[in-house]
Amino acid sequence: MQKSILFIVLFFYTLSFSQDVEAFNKIYTKTYLETSQTDMKEAKKTADSLYKISESPLLKTKSLMLSATLYKQSGEVKKSVEYALKSGEIIKQTDNYSWQAKVYGLMASEYRLLKLYNFSKQYFEKAIEASNKIENPKAANNIRGLMFQEKAYGDIDQKNFKNAIVNVNRSQNYFNLTESNIDFFTVNNEQLLGLSYYKLNDFD
């Protein structure tokens, strides 16, 4: 335990002076994938610490988005929205369109969960607009695929099952252009299609 605490103290001491992105990403990933699974309270504390020592807008945004994701995982959606909004204010001042799209995408999802569909739509549109400025075509199409999948979730929530089918198919068309994680995204889309057709009594 003492060795673990010493490591964390030394890590933050070093990071605060060097802003070592590799070290930041290491602790970020460990917090998201490991710590959050065993000790959510500690994971949230680590995310807050990352934010406090972050100097660049990107690292501040990533820290806040980590907090937003952790609160979302623990079911505290309103708290998650607070962190995501704060990250949005920071990243919109940069030309990092990839992270702008990620932030807006999370906001679209969060507002959908809160059943604030008009706000969700606004952030969906912001995410798509940001994706159009991403230079990497595969990364841009991945964002678009996720956003139209998110839109389909909203359609299903509102019982617009025909619209959901249209948006799932649009989502899949974008995912087919990414050439990465296609199976995972396709499984999600097939599930959404199955649910939508089931609700429309189209059992075949």
Side-chain angles (χ1 to χ4, degrees), residues 28-37:
Y28 176 100
T29 302
K30 181 178 176 63
T31 302
Y32 177 63
L33 296 179
E34 298 180 24
T35 309
S36 65
Q37 304 304 310

Side-chain angles (χ1 to χ4, degrees), residues 150-169:
E150 168 59 35
K151 195 170 187 180
Y153 276 113
D155 289 331
I156 290 173
D157 288 349
Q158 299 174 83
K159 304 185 186 306
N160 296 324
F161 302 112
K162 290 184 178 180
N163 286 345
I165 291 170
V166 171
N167 285 316
V168 170
N169 287 328

Side-chain angles (χ1 to χ4, degrees), residues 163-191:
N163 286 345
I165 291 170
V166 171
N167 285 316
V168 170
N169 287 328
R170 292 187 71 178
S171 168
Q172 191 62 43
N173 288 337
Y174 284 120
F175 284 141
N176 289 340
L177 299 173
T178 65
E179 300 179 3
S180 62
N181 297 318
I182 293 178
D183 290 343
F184 175 77
F185 293 132
T186 300
V187 166
N188 285 343
N189 279 340
E190 289 294 324
Q191 181 185 21

Side-chain angles (χ1 to χ4, degrees), residues 9 12 21 41 54 60 79 97 106 109 116 131 141 161 168 171 189-192:
V9 171
F12 284 122
V21 176
K41 185 177 180 180
S54 294
K60 286 181 180 293
K79 192 72 174 179
Y97 302 113
L106 178 64
S109 177
L116 298 173
S131 74
N141 285 323
F161 302 112
V168 170
S171 168
N189 279 340
E190 289 294 324
Q191 181 185 21
L192 293 176

